[in-house]
């Protein structure tokens, strides 16, 4: 946060991001620098250094570096030493915006333009930030932020049902909700920046005429915009410190209304010096003391006995272990956003390994400042996908002309989500057998044929499994869905990566066999009763 390094020539801040250690400081002129924490001379920490006269000086031998990483003084070296003219340390490009110092950790020669977050629309005094350390992997933290169903249980004492409100309504101690529905219907829409999803609940009033919709946005790789209340908008950043530590940021903001910094931290149980430590932001309520859970308070009606929404979440996330074993999960219908996140990020990691752009980095990019969540009543029949989509996003993504366009896209995305879900269940982290036994460069072609007389169904869906794993696969349909096919007759021809085709074939064939079986039996029933 900017407040952590607000003072010129102030105390340097030791920071760890994505497993890299750096030191952040504000120089005499007010410029921010982010350098490799270790001095390039003998690897002593610059976090102990003297921040003075537009540079950070290592205590060990007095080498001094400016915000761009240039050595401006090397007191242990002769005045005429050639090393003085060439010495640099690693410096990260930085931008100050909307309460944060943003650090570019990619290729320093290819820095993409900074896209401000949506809360940059608010003045500084209307941006309030909670910061808290989480002792587990960032992905299991983020999955809590894209899980609307848990709020109806875990946070039920903080988000109680109320009959007198029509949307989320903030008081000093709670956010009132117009629904008691704990089993929302989840719908997901993939986007260039990640995805949107809606949790659709039955409202208390006029449930036959309207739905209570809470729409959340996942902005890859670690930002989530959750539904607002009537006083402020809400965004979270779940920033990986390393594989087993995460920094949790929760931003409450509004252009005109909002909540004060002190009130926000008190509401969340995240006051600095009281609830969290000033430098590390580690929690006073933690796993070692059971998050100070109050069982007497639970008997009196509080659902968790743990103070503050963030610590309630932390208790769940950290109790899973430093890195949760997701092969043990049993996902349900309320977890659609979860498996979309898992499959989307898995595919994104594979793409980056191949040298392709990261998710959300393909130009033209949707302006992040224009992304907004939604919360409120939606008349039956209206599509939530049309709500809070900026004109810039519509223009860059082709937009939606009308409801029919949205419904067509929704059908396609449901198919895509189904393919992702099945592959994630079948392959998990990948097809080990194919990777071990088949060279990555091997290619093959194959023909799928009927073993017995059938009515074929599901060819396009079967092809989608192959296309998902190998976008370059060549597919030729030799028959059409609905055709009567004889035993031995070819159905489709595929050609592509042998590894990827073998990885996809089980899911593709199981789906094709299941749908074809249904079509074949249905046709036999229809023929049996024909003319009766």
């Amino acid at each position: 946060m900017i407040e952590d390094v607000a003072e010129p020539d102030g105390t340097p801040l030791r920071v760890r991001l994505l497993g890299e250690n750096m030191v952040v400081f504000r120089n005499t002129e007010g410029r921010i620098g982010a350098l490799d924490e270790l001095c390039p001379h003998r690897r002593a920490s610059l976090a102990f250094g003297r921040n003075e006269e537009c540079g950070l000086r290592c205590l060990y031998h007095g080498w001094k570096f400016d915000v761009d990483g240039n050595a401006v003084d090397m007191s242990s070296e002769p005045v005429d030493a050639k090393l003085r003219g060439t010495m640099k340390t690693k410096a990260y490009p930085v931008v100050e915006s909307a309460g944060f110092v943003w650090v570019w950790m990619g290729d320093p020669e290819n820095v993409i333009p900074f896209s401000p977050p949506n809360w940059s629309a608010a003045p500084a005094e209307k941006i309030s930030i909670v910061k808290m350390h989480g002792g587990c992997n960032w992905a299991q933290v983020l999955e809590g932020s894209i899980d609307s169903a848990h709020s109806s249980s875990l946070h039920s004492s903080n988000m109680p049902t109320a009959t007198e409100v029509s949307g989320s309504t903030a008081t000093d101690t709670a956010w009132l909700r117009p629904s008691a529905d704990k089993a929302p219907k989840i719908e997901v829409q993939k986007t260039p920046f990640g995805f949107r999803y809606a949790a659709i609940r039955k409202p208390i009033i006029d449930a036959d005429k309207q739905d209570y919709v809470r729409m959340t946005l996942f902005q890859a790789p670690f930002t989530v915009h959750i539904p607002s209340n009537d006083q402020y908008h809400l965004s979270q950043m779940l920033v990986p410190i390393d594989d087993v530590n995460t920094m949790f940021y929760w931003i409450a903001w509004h252009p005109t209304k909002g909540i004060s910094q002190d009130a926000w931290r008190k509401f969340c149980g995240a006051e600095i010096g009281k609830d969290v430590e000033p430098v590390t932001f580690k929690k006073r309520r933690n796993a070692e003391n059971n998050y100070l859970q109050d069982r007497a308070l639970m008997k009196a009606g509080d659902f968790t006995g743990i103070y503050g929404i963030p610590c309630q979440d932390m208790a769940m996330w950290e109790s899973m272990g430093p890195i949760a074993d997701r092969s043990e999960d049993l996902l349900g219908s309320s977890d659609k956003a979860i498996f979309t996140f898992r499959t989307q990020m898995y595919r994104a990691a594979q793409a980056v390994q191949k040298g392709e752009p990261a998710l959300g980095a393909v130009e033209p990019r949707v302006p992040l400042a224009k992304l907004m969540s939604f919360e409120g009543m939606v008349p039956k029949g209206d599509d939530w996908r049309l709500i809070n989509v900026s004109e810039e996003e519509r223009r860059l993504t082709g937009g939606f002309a009308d409801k029919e366009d949205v419904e067509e896209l929704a059908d396609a995305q449901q198919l895509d989500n189904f393919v992702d879900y099945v592959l994630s269940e079948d392959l998990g982290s990948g097809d080990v057998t194919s990777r071990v036994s088949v060279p990555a460069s091997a290619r093959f072609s194959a023909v799928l044929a009927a073993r017995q007389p059938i009515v074929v169904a599901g060819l396009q869906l079967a092809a989608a499994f192959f296309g998902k794993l190998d976008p370059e696969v060549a597919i030729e349909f030799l028959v059409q869905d609905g055709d009567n096919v004889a035993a031995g007759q070819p159905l489709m021809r595929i050609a592509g990566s042998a590894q990827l085709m073998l990885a996809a074939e089980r899911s593709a064939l199981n789906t094709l066999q299941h749908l074809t079986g249904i079509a074949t039996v249905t046709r036999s029933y229809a023929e049996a009763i024909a003319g009766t």
Side-chain angles (χ1 to χ4, degrees):
M1 298 184 295
I2 289 176
E3 69 179 80
D4 296 332
V5 284
E7 180 187 358
D9 288 342
T11 303
L13 182 67
R14 181 185 279 111
V15 174
R16 183 169 170 83
L17 287 174
L18 306 183
E20 296 187 27
N21 296 322
M22 61 187 74
V23 59
V24 181
F25 66 103
R26 188 180 297 275
N27 75 5
T28 311
E29 297 175 348
R31 292 183 63 197
I32 288 282
L35 308 179
D36 185 332
E37 182 192 345
L38 302 182
C39 177
H41 179 209
R42 297 270 294 279
R43 313 305 287 165
S45 174
L46 290 172
F48 300 113
R50 297 179 63 90
N51 182 13
E52 58 189 7
E53 298 177 346
C54 289
L56 188 60
R57 187 183 298 276
C58 179
L59 294 185
Y60 203 5
H61 294 88
W63 289 21
K64 182 179 178 182
F65 301 91
D66 65 16
V67 296
D68 297 314
N70 301 305
V72 295
D73 188 21
M74 299 170 66
S75 55
S76 64
E77 295 297 307
V79 175
D80 59 350
K82 290 183 179 180
L83 194 62
R84 282 179 172 265
T86 59
M87 178 55 60
K88 287 180 68 73
T89 191
K90 183 175 183 179
Y92 299 84
V94 296
V95 172
E96 292 186 74
S97 176
F100 289 89
V101 177
W102 305 82
V103 181
W104 172 262
M105 300 183 69
D107 182 354
E109 302 300 321
N110 292 287
V111 181
I112 64 175
F114 176 70
S115 183
N118 63 4
W119 61 90
S120 64
E125 66 273 13
K126 296 293 184 180
I127 300 173
S128 298
I129 304 170
V130 156
K131 181 177 180 180
M132 186 178 288
H133 174 269
C136 60
N137 181 264
W138 71 278
Q140 64 204 59
V141 175
L142 191 143
E143 287 185 353
S145 298
I146 55 172
D147 173 16
S148 185
H150 88 278
S151 64
S152 299
S153 292
L154 182 65
H155 307 313
S156 55
S157 294
N158 303 90
M159 305 177 190
T161 300
T163 58
E164 68 274 15
V165 299
S166 59
S168 182
T169 303
T171 70
D172 290 342
T173 58
W175 299 337
L176 308 180
R177 278 192 182 177
S179 173
D181 188 353
K182 293 188 176 184
K185 176 185 177 184
I186 305 296
E187 295 182 354
V188 181
Q189 177 196 33
K190 293 181 181 178
T191 67
F193 55 80
F195 62 80
R196 289 181 177 85
Y197 84 91
I200 304 171
R201 290 176 167 87
K202 296 178 181 178
I204 297 172
I205 299 174
D206 293 334
D208 59 330
K209 299 178 182 178
Q210 60 185 358
D211 293 315
Y212 177 51
V213 176
R214 296 178 59 83
M215 180 177 72
T216 300
L217 280 67
F218 165 59
Q219 174 194 312
F222 53 68
T223 303
V224 178
H225 305 295
I226 64 178
S228 311
N229 58 49
D230 65 332
Q231 295 300 310
Y232 40 88
H233 304 303
L234 294 162
S235 295
Q236 293 182 348
M237 292 196 295
L238 306 315
V239 181
I241 297 173
D242 51 35
D243 287 347
V244 294
N245 292 279
T246 303
M247 196 60 77
F248 169 90
Y249 296 96
W250 200 358
I251 304 99
W253 63 278
H254 197 278
T256 58
K257 295 187 283 188
I259 182 173
S260 72
Q261 181 78 283
D262 290 344
W264 178 232
R265 290 175 177 173
K266 182 178 181 180
F267 175 82
C268 290
E271 295 180 81
I272 298 173
K274 178 182 177 182
D275 302 303
V276 296
E277 296 179 8
V279 178
T280 64
F281 289 86
K282 290 186 176 180
K283 305 175 291 298
R284 174 172 168 259
R285 302 173 186 86
N286 54 59
E288 292 185 357
N289 58 30
N290 271 355
Y291 304 89
L292 298 180
Q293 186 179 37
D294 187 336
R295 290 282 173 176
L297 188 63
M298 295 173 72
K299 289 181 179 180
D302 188 86
F303 188 75
T304 66
I306 299 172
Y307 184 80
I309 294 171
C311 268
Q312 294 165 10
D313 282 320
M314 289 285 181
M316 301 299 102
W317 301 332
E318 293 178 343
S319 69
M320 300 173 188
I323 301 179
D325 181 359
R326 295 307 183 193
S327 68
E328 300 292 330
D329 284 2
L330 298 173
L331 300 182
S333 61
S334 66
D335 298 311
K336 287 182 180 178
I338 304 300
F339 68 71
T340 298
F341 167 74
R342 293 179 185 179
T343 54
Q344 192 174 58
M345 294 304 288
Y346 178 62
R347 308 293 177 222
Q350 289 179 314
V352 170
Q353 278 188 324
K354 298 177 188 175
E356 299 172 8
L359 179 62
V362 177
E363 298 291 350
R365 294 183 295 156
V366 175
L368 303 183
K370 299 294 184 178
L371 300 181
M372 280 297 298
S373 61
F374 171 80
E375 179 273 344
M377 298 297 176
V378 175
K380 292 280 190 182
D382 286 6
D383 200 305
W384 61 269
R385 297 169 185 83
L386 294 170
I387 301 172
N388 279 1
V389 179
S390 68
E391 289 302 319
E392 290 86 350
E393 182 178 348
R394 292 174 190 267
R395 184 173 64 253
L396 291 174
T397 59
F400 307 122
D402 50 32
K403 180 181 176 182
E404 285 69 29
D405 285 348
V406 175
E407 290 175 345
E408 182 178 346
L409 178 63
D411 290 341
Q413 291 210 337
Q414 284 182 355
L415 173 64
D416 191 55
N417 291 342
F418 173 78
V419 170
D420 278 343
Y421 178 69
V422 172
L423 287 174
S424 69
E425 288 289 299
D426 186 30
L427 301 180
S429 60
D431 186 353
V432 177
T433 303
S434 296
R435 286 205 307 264
V436 171
S437 60
V438 180
S441 59
R443 300 184 66 80
F444 81 170
S445 61
V447 174
L448 275 62
R451 296 179 60 184
Q452 62 189 54
I454 58 172
V455 177
V456 68
L459 287 173
Q460 294 285 346
L461 184 54
F465 287 100
F466 296 112
K468 173 64 71 170
L469 295 188
D470 182 4
E472 298 179 0
V473 64
I475 298 175
E476 180 184 3
F477 297 110
L478 305 177
V479 296
Q480 296 181 351
D481 281 353
D483 285 354
N484 283 306
V485 174
Q489 184 175 345
L491 308 178
M492 61 189 294
R493 183 179 290 112
I494 59 173
S497 163
Q499 267 192 8
L500 299 177
M501 294 302 96
L502 289 172
E505 59 89 17
R506 181 167 52 201
S507 297
L509 293 183
N510 284 347
T511 303
L512 183 61
Q513 289 169 349
H514 182 68
L515 295 177
T516 294
I518 293 172
T520 302
V521 172
T522 302
R523 177 71 61 86
S524 67
Y525 287 164
E527 291 175 348
I529 64 173
T532 62

